[in-house]
Amino acid sequence: MDTPAAPPKLSFDTHPSRYRHWTLSVDGDLARLTMKVTPFGGANTEVELKSNSYDLSVDIELADAVQRLRFEHPQVKACVITSGHEKIFCAGANIYMLASSTHPFKVNFCKYTNETRLAIEDASQHSGLKFLAACNGATAGGGYELALACDEIVLVDDGSSTVSLPEVPLLGVLPGTGGLTRVVDKRKVRRDLADAFSTLAEGVKGKRAVEWGLVDAVVPRSKFADTIAQKARELASKAPNVERGKGIQLDEIGEYKHVSLEIDEKARVAHLTVRAPAGEVPKTAAEALAKGAQGWALRMARELDHALLRLRFEHETVGLVLVRTEGDRAKAHAVGELLAGPEKDSWILRETRLNLARTLRRMDVTARSFFAVVDEKSCFSGPLFELLMACDRQYVLDTDGVALHPGSLSAGALPGWNGLSRLQTRFLADPAKADKVLAAAKEGQIDAAKANKLGLATVHADDIDFEEELRVAVEERASLSPDALTGMEQNYRFAGPETLATKIFGRLSAWQNWIFIRPNATGERGALTMYGKPERPQFDMRRT
Amino acid sequence: MDTPAAPPKLSFDTHPSRYRHWTLSVDGDLARLTMKVTPFGGANTEVELKSNSYDLSVDIELADAVQRLRFEHPQVKACVITSGHEKIFCAGANIYMLASSTHPFKVNFCKYTNETRLAIEDASQHSGLKFLAACNGATAGGGYELALACDEIVLVDDGSSTVSLPEVPLLGVLPGTGGLTRVVDKRKVRRDLADAFSTLAEGVKGKRAVEWGLVDAVVPRSKFADTIAQKARELASKAPNVERGKGIQLDEIGEYKHVSLEIDEKARVAHLTVRAPAGEVPKTAAEALAKGAQGWALRMARELDHALLRLRFEHETVGLVLVRTEGDRAKAHAVGELLAGPEKDSWILRETRLNLARTLRRMDVTARSFFAVVDEKSCFSGPLFELLMACDRQYVLDTDGVALHPGSLSAGALPGWNGLSRLQTRFLADPAKADKVLAAAKEGQIDAAKANKLGLATVHADDIDFEEELRVAVEERASLSPDALTGMEQNYRFAGPETLATKIFGRLSAWQNWIFIRPNATGERGALTMYGKPERPQFDMRRT
């Protein structure tokens, strides 16, 4: 069993002016993200992050930069991701950091980096922001996985620089950031070549890398800079013609305004409360833009996102989150209608909506149970109705004054990882039921009895039974095996169609978790443990 | 780490006359499979298989019965699966058997039972053979998972009998035989109800089981037998109108005629050789029928299937299988053309083809690397071309006389788990390439150089390099972490669309493997280990 260690001190709040590992520069509709990892500048300052290898602090900066491109620089159409080193693009996740981490940290680290890669693809698909990986040197493991998340990959052709996934041959683990999935499912590399590639520690270079479909082009070093500049312009010219604007500044999260997270360590329960807007709500995109990062929907989603990350990394033994909402249902509903209304294609509403969708999807892959508590004070209305649907169960008090109010956002504007709306996923057996909920919501707030009839309540109980039912459910949940619950939830949360993302979180990550805990990887003589030591790893050779 | 134990002595060859746990009875177009597990009659005669709980020997009989229904009783349109006990349908996999098994055995046991459930669904979809689960008593865990594999589930309504998935609350593991997947993806149960159901050790009964979609009907005990008889007739009347015949007898496998499996335990390599038909090959469905179980295609696939199971259970440390073929390419090709030709809907050709497809899919989820060796002697022709495509890599010798010959079977008649043909999966990036291979094959055998050009060779080398390339590849494969290879292969073998099966093998099983190896399940105080003991399990409560 892992020795529990104090969680690393991490801040998920950063700013380009404070980046230690990346430089973000913007020039018109082009941007450049340059990685030059500070060797002893990671979360653990005793680990040398050599050769542009990364730890979580590096990925937090990358996630921040992608987020800022969308909100602060919406005019940018193409972003080049490259390295500030001469002969190394990126060596992937730092092995010593990984090998010395606990199992829960390993799993959460991979989850976060996967979410960052998927956010890059989300920006490419929905925000008109294309990415070009300019691999100016060795591109290994997580480095190649970062490139795979980009729209185009160009590798320098210098006789030595390769792309590689050396995890299987060198470390006895999988490339854990979507590499296997993207090789065969995004780039559609032939599976026999993918197999050969992924067991070849030294990787593939030059013409062969193009022939196998691992990169889009190779370019001699002498022409590299010019070609990248040209390809970036071409990519920008092909970026979807979405509405763009001047951008807004994202402030620091600091203290939460609309979210509170209270932890009951003893009961291993978190109380997460989200409040509806208090002041006046914007009626137009222009009003939303004027509020900038202080607009309720954006600020609330950013706080919620932050709270989910704190739960994952700082409160490992909390197994259950009780999700509550409070406030003015009409106001929350109005914000939702603006976000999905006639002006929905305006850049600020689009990005606010995409950001909310990403936050709810962060919830879907958070290894915690979420039970929603719906009572008289609740405000599961507009965007917050989707929060209700993201929970594993809904406890609805049967009394006057309890009401839900889904709006237009719930008709598909905030898709889950499977690409469906949360109502569609809930009512897979009978899609008409999702339509009925939306139709009922058009008439106004839906009271508890009707919500129950419409299939929105897991438990619907009057006040005599409600507290007791909830108390028993909370205690029961806390008593169950945390591993079995995680596995169960990950099988139940995204039924229906599969996407690259569901394959990454559902399949690839599950195999990686298994491998991470196997003695062949992390035992005393496992490959990950032995990396960099003179002795060879020792394997239990039984194939399983 | 597990203490390696001698593999259990198992025979995959059985016959209804020797069943210890099941009775198969056939009456016209209806059949009945009755489960009454012999308490100390399993593979380990010291384990009491109480309450119709099962071990591998029980599932081998079930798989045999389903296979015999298709080949020996093709007239059967509906089969009732029920229990010979009064108040118990089936309690699922035996916990003591599971808890005392090694990790590799647990994983292989679940894989086999999953294949059996999927074979039931394959028969329902393609062989006009529908299944009715007559749950005449408690239906728990794997018992409910067996019911879920049927087309219809009827539960007795006696005030006490429930359906349940108690694995999470009682054992700290997942229902490992497709239960979670089928609940939300086949029966499309609402995910909040699925969550509540799967943490409720006592399960759900009566009207609520119907309302939640867990069963199709509940029937009082007094009317149970009559209702089941009536529903079986209804199901039979709705069975697809496929061609049916008198049936053939399936003989024992005994000694292999067309397959050889040689094990090099030291190198951890198996040599699997499949030979083309030697005698005259059938030209019509009637000739194929006359050959019965001695027909080459059926016999060869059954031997191959048997060899794969032996590999899994008896040769755990063999990591790599070198797949070779020999014999007359024209004959093998002719058999393939008959199987996919004008008479393809005749029952004997249909069942032979479906059986071959299932065998190749058994290969896809076998945790071994498969490298095909193509030289002058090779006969990767007709059905055996699909064997080539099922391998992880293809080593093709560049010399005269080497040739491949795909036929009509390769155009989709033998789909993989993702529902695509193996050529489609190989050429996901460019579907036209699959068509080019099929077009080239219409002209005749495809020589080595052309095969390479068409994208059918991973490595194409002349005789100076061939042996050396192969030797290095074999040694390299043997040196890699067996776990990492399994994870990699399971991510690469079914790219493209997802199906119930890919979700079960790719996602559910990967999570289960992870959970099986976690101390919370199988550690000294893990829930699986502690089952039936007076003390409570102890969990490391970190959520991961």
Side-chain angles (χ1 to χ4, degrees):
Chain A
M1 216 181 285
D2 299 317
T3 317
K9 286 245 178 288
L10 275 170
S11 168
F12 292 96
D13 245 341
T14 184
H15 185 271
S17 64
R18 300 198 303 273
Y19 289 175
R20 287 169 298 176
H21 312 297
W22 290 90
T23 311
L24 172 62
S25 66
V26 174
D27 180 9
D29 62 1
L30 297 180
R32 176 175 287 257
L33 257 168
T34 308
M35 184 183 204
K36 194 168 185 182
V37 176
T38 303
F40 292 95
N44 178 347
T45 51
E46 287 175 18
V47 171
E48 184 183 2
L49 300 173
K50 262 202 288 201
S51 308
N52 260 1
S53 64
Y54 59 81
D55 74 348
L56 186 58
S57 76
V58 178
D59 221 69
I60 288 171
E61 293 183 5
L62 173 60
D64 181 77
V66 174
Q67 188 80 331
R68 285 185 197 273
L69 279 171
R70 301 170 86 149
F71 282 100
E72 302 192 350
H73 309 284
Q75 81 278 14
V76 171
K77 295 178 177 171
C79 175
V80 173
I81 296 187
T82 193
S83 147
H85 287 291
E86 269 292 296
K87 293 191 167 171
I88 291 160
F89 174 70
C90 170
N94 185 276
I95 310 308
Y96 301 100
M97 177 279 297
L98 209 57
S100 63
S101 299
T102 63
H103 182 69
F105 183 83
K106 279 191 195 77
V107 171
N108 276 306
F109 169 75
C110 290
K111 192 175 288 177
Y112 184 86
T113 56
N114 270 314
E115 290 168 320
T116 305
R117 308 296 167 276
L118 286 160
I120 288 174
E121 290 174 326
D122 184 61
S124 163
Q125 205 186 334
H126 300 296
S127 300
L129 171 56
K130 297 289 169 187
F131 289 86
L132 172 61
C135 302
N136 53 329
T139 300
Y144 180 52
E145 291 179 296
L146 173 58
L148 282 167
C150 295
D151 295 280
E152 219 176 308
I153 307 175
V154 179
L155 174 65
V156 69
D157 192 7
D158 58 2
S160 67
S161 294
T162 62
V163 293
S164 64
L165 290 177
E167 285 85 346
V168 170
L170 291 189
L171 308 173
V173 301
L174 302 184
T177 319
L180 300 183
T181 313
R182 287 197 179 83
V183 164
V184 291
D185 268 306
K186 182 181 182 182
R187 299 194 64 91
K188 300 185 168 68
V189 171
R190 253 171 54 197
R191 82 169 171 91
D192 60 323
L193 301 177
D195 179 293
F197 169 60
S198 307
T199 55
L200 207 60
E202 66 269 29
V204 173
K205 67 187 175 201
K207 210 175 70 175
R208 172 175 277 189
V210 178
E211 280 169 5
W212 286 16
L214 300 167
V215 306
D216 295 290
V218 287
V219 177
R221 195 169 288 280
S222 60
K223 298 184 186 164
F224 194 74
D226 287 350
T227 308
I228 292 298
Q230 184 200 328
K231 282 184 180 285
R233 282 191 300 272
E234 281 169 20
L235 207 52
S237 74
K238 285 185 289 189
N241 192 19
V242 299
E243 206 231 40
R244 296 167 191 279
K246 214 171 65 70
I248 58 168
Q249 294 300 308
L250 294 180
D251 58 339
E252 260 194 64
I253 292 293
E255 263 187 48
Y256 295 169
K257 292 173 187 162
H258 309 298
V259 169
S260 47
L261 180 67
E262 282 165 34
I263 307 290
D264 180 346
E265 294 283 1
K266 192 156 163 274
R268 298 194 306 276
V269 170
H271 297 269
L272 178 72
T273 305
V274 183
R275 285 175 295 278
E280 211 167 321
V281 300
K283 286 177 199 65
T284 63
E287 285 178 24
L289 187 60
K291 286 186 180 275
Q294 299 315 310
W296 171 78
L298 176 55
R299 175 84 202 173
M300 177 275 290
R302 291 176 68 217
E303 291 178 7
L304 180 55
D305 200 62
H306 198 264
L308 291 171
L309 291 173
R310 281 176 50 203
L311 264 172
R312 288 191 192 167
F313 286 95
E314 295 171 15
H315 305 286
E316 289 185 321
T317 62
V318 167
L320 172 64
V321 185
L322 290 177
V323 177
R324 294 182 176 87
T325 51
E326 290 174 1
D328 188 330
R329 286 175 209 142
K331 283 185 182 173
H333 192 265
V335 172
E337 293 312 290
L338 176 64
L339 286 171
E343 289 190 281
K344 68 179 160 46
D345 293 329
S346 76
W347 84 267
I348 185 69
L349 299 184
R350 177 190 73 229
E351 291 305 329
T352 302
R353 213 168 49 229
L354 290 168
N355 186 59
L356 184 56
R358 286 196 300 283
T359 299
L360 291 169
R361 290 198 295 264
R362 176 105 73 193
M363 206 168 142
D364 293 334
V365 289
T366 294
R368 302 291 187 278
S369 305
F370 293 94
F371 289 0
V373 182
V374 187
D375 58 22
E376 301 97 320
K377 283 193 296 186
S378 294
C379 175
F380 288 105
S381 171
L384 299 182
F385 177 78
E386 289 294 294
L387 180 66
L388 178 71
M389 289 296 99
C391 289
D392 296 299
R393 297 189 192 172
Q394 294 76 26
Y395 284 80
V396 179
L397 176 65
D398 175 16
T399 195
D400 286 350
V402 175
L404 308 175
H405 202 193
S408 311
L409 272 181
S410 295
L414 303 174
W417 290 118
N418 62 4
L420 300 184
S421 75
R422 284 187 163 69
L423 280 175
Q424 284 174 320
T425 300
R426 187 176 186 89
F427 298 117
L428 266 187
D430 184 359
K433 287 189 179 172
D435 298 334
K436 272 187 201 157
V437 172
L438 293 172
K442 288 235 167 86
E443 314 281 306
Q445 297 188 12
I446 300 173
D447 68 27
K450 189 155 188 200
N452 182 46
K453 218 174 138 195
L454 286 166
L456 298 174
T458 318
V459 170
H460 176 237
D462 61 25
D463 45 12
I464 300 172
D465 294 330
F466 188 74
E467 285 302 325
E468 180 63 8
E469 283 235 27
L470 189 59
R471 190 188 61 76
V472 169
V474 168
E475 277 178 17
E476 182 208 73
R477 200 72 166 193
S479 75
L480 300 181
S481 159
D483 305 335
L485 287 176
T486 294
M488 184 186 84
E489 289 156 3
Q490 287 305 298
N491 278 278
Y492 279 166
R493 286 182 185 170
F494 16 90
E498 294 268 344
T499 61
L500 203 66
T502 64
K503 285 190 179 187
I504 289 172
F505 290 121
R507 181 196 292 192
L508 176 68
S509 300
W511 285 105
Q512 179 76 310
N513 289 0
W514 174 65
I515 291 164
F516 271 158
I517 202 84
R518 294 275 285 169
N520 283 342
T522 51
E524 261 177 55
R525 303 293 306 258
L528 192 62
T529 312
M530 301 294 286
Y531 181 74
K533 295 184 184 157
E535 307 97 319
R536 298 271 309 149
Q538 272 177 14
F539 296 133
D540 170 355
M541 279 298 176
R542 288 177 297 170
R543 261 290 200 132
T544 305
Chain B
M1 217 181 286
D2 298 319
T3 318
K9 286 242 179 287
L10 276 169
S11 168
F12 293 95
D13 246 342
T14 184
H15 185 273
S17 64
R18 299 198 303 274
Y19 289 176
R20 286 169 297 176
H21 312 297
W22 290 91
T23 312
L24 172 62
S25 65
V26 173
D27 180 10
D29 61 1
L30 297 180
R32 176 175 286 257
L33 256 168
T34 308
M35 184 183 206
K36 195 169 184 181
V37 176
T38 303
F40 292 95
N44 179 347
T45 51
E46 287 175 17
V47 171
E48 184 182 3
L49 300 175
K50 262 200 291 199
S51 308
N52 260 2
S53 64
Y54 58 81
D55 74 349
L56 186 58
S57 77
V58 178
D59 220 68
I60 288 172
E61 292 183 6
L62 173 60
D64 183 78
V66 174
Q67 187 79 331
R68 286 186 197 272
L69 279 171
R70 302 170 86 150
F71 282 100
E72 303 193 350
H73 309 283
Q75 79 278 14
V76 171
K77 294 179 177 170
C79 175
V80 172
I81 298 188
T82 194
S83 147
H85 288 290
E86 269 291 296
K87 294 194 166 167
I88 292 161
F89 174 69
C90 170
N94 185 276
I95 310 308
Y96 301 102
M97 176 280 296
L98 208 59
S100 63
S101 300
T102 63
H103 182 69
F105 183 82
K106 278 190 197 79
V107 171
N108 276 304
F109 169 75
C110 290
K111 193 175 289 178
Y112 184 87
T113 56
N114 269 313
E115 289 169 321
T116 305
R117 307 298 167 277
L118 286 160
I120 288 174
E121 291 174 324
D122 184 61
S124 164
Q125 204 185 337
H126 300 295
S127 300
L129 171 55
K130 297 289 168 186
F131 289 86
L132 171 62
C135 302
N136 54 329
T139 300
Y144 180 53
E145 291 179 296
L146 174 58
L148 282 167
C150 296
D151 295 280
E152 217 176 310
I153 308 175
V154 179
L155 174 66
V156 68
D157 192 6
D158 58 1
S160 67
S161 293
T162 62
V163 293
S164 65
L165 290 177
E167 284 86 346
V168 171
L170 292 188
L171 308 172
V173 301
L174 302 184
T177 319
L180 299 184
T181 313
R182 286 195 178 85
V183 164
V184 290
D185 269 306
K186 182 180 182 181
R187 297 194 66 91
K188 300 184 169 70
V189 172
R190 252 171 55 196
R191 81 170 172 90
D192 60 322
L193 300 177
D195 179 293
F197 170 59
S198 306
T199 54
L200 207 60
E202 66 268 29
V204 173
K205 66 187 176 201
K207 209 175 70 174
R208 173 176 276 190
V210 179
E211 280 170 3
W212 286 18
L214 300 167
V215 307
D216 294 291
V218 286
V219 177
R221 197 169 285 281
S222 60
K223 297 182 187 164
F224 195 73
D226 286 351
T227 307
I228 292 298
Q230 183 200 329
K231 282 185 179 285
R233 282 191 300 272
E234 281 169 18
L235 206 52
S237 74
K238 285 185 288 188
N241 192 20
V242 298
E243 207 230 40
R244 298 167 191 277
K246 216 172 63 70
I248 59 169
Q249 294 300 307
L250 293 179
D251 59 338
E252 258 195 62
I253 291 293
E255 263 187 47
Y256 295 169
K257 292 172 187 165
H258 310 296
V259 169
S260 46
L261 180 67
E262 283 166 32
I263 307 290
D264 181 346
E265 294 281 1
K266 194 159 161 270
R268 299 194 305 275
V269 169
H271 297 269
L272 177 73
T273 305
V274 183
R275 285 175 295 278
E280 212 168 318
V281 299
K283 286 178 201 65
T284 63
E287 285 179 26
L289 186 60
K291 287 187 179 273
Q294 299 314 309
W296 171 79
L298 176 55
R299 175 85 202 172
M300 177 275 289
R302 290 176 68 216
E303 290 178 8
L304 180 56
D305 199 62
H306 198 264
L308 290 170
L309 292 173
R310 281 177 49 205
L311 264 172
R312 288 191 193 168
F313 286 96
E314 295 171 14
H315 305 287
E316 288 186 323
T317 62
V318 167
L320 173 63
V321 185
L322 290 177
V323 177
R324 294 182 176 86
T325 51
E326 289 175 2
D328 188 330
R329 286 177 208 139
K331 282 184 182 172
H333 192 264
V335 172
E337 294 311 290
L338 176 63
L339 286 171
E343 290 190 282
K344 68 178 163 43
D345 293 330
S346 76
W347 84 266
I348 184 69
L349 299 185
R350 177 190 73 228
E351 291 305 330
T352 302
R353 213 168 50 231
L354 290 169
N355 187 59
L356 185 56
R358 286 197 298 283
T359 299
L360 291 169
R361 288 198 296 263
R362 175 106 72 194
M363 207 167 142
D364 293 333
V365 289
T366 294
R368 302 291 187 277
S369 306
F370 293 93
F371 288 0
V373 182
V374 187
D375 58 20
E376 302 97 318
K377 283 194 295 187
S378 294
C379 175
F380 288 105
S381 171
L384 299 183
F385 178 78
E386 288 294 296
L387 180 65
L388 178 71
M389 289 296 99
C391 289
D392 296 299
R393 297 188 194 175
Q394 294 76 26
Y395 284 81
V396 180
L397 176 64
D398 175 18
T399 195
D400 287 350
V402 175
L404 307 174
H405 202 190
S408 312
L409 272 182
S410 295
L414 303 174
W417 290 118
N418 61 5
L420 300 183
S421 76
R422 284 187 164 68
L423 280 175
Q424 283 174 319
T425 300
R426 188 176 186 89
F427 298 117
L428 266 187
D430 184 0
K433 287 189 178 172
D435 298 334
K436 273 187 199 158
V437 172
L438 294 171
K442 288 235 166 82
E443 315 280 306
Q445 297 188 13
I446 299 173
D447 68 26
K450 188 155 188 200
N452 182 46
K453 219 176 136 193
L454 285 167
L456 299 173
T458 317
V459 169
H460 176 237
D462 62 24
D463 46 11
I464 300 171
D465 295 329
F466 187 75
E467 286 302 327
E468 180 62 9
E469 283 236 26
L470 189 58
R471 189 187 62 74
V472 169
V474 168
E475 279 179 15
E476 183 207 72
R477 200 72 167 193
S479 75
L480 300 181
S481 159
D483 305 332
L485 288 176
T486 294
M488 184 186 83
E489 288 156 5
Q490 287 305 299
N491 277 279
Y492 279 165
R493 285 180 184 169
F494 16 88
E498 295 270 341
T499 61
L500 203 66
T502 64
K503 285 191 182 188
I504 289 171
F505 290 121
R507 182 195 293 193
L508 176 67
S509 300
W511 284 106
Q512 179 76 311
N513 289 0
W514 174 67
I515 291 165
F516 271 159
I517 202 84
R518 294 275 285 170
N520 283 341
T522 51
E524 261 177 56
R525 303 292 305 258
L528 192 62
T529 312
M530 301 295 286
Y531 181 74
K533 295 183 185 158
E535 306 96 320
R536 298 272 311 150
Q538 273 177 11
F539 296 134
D540 171 354
M541 279 298 177
R542 288 176 297 168
R543 262 289 200 130
T544 304

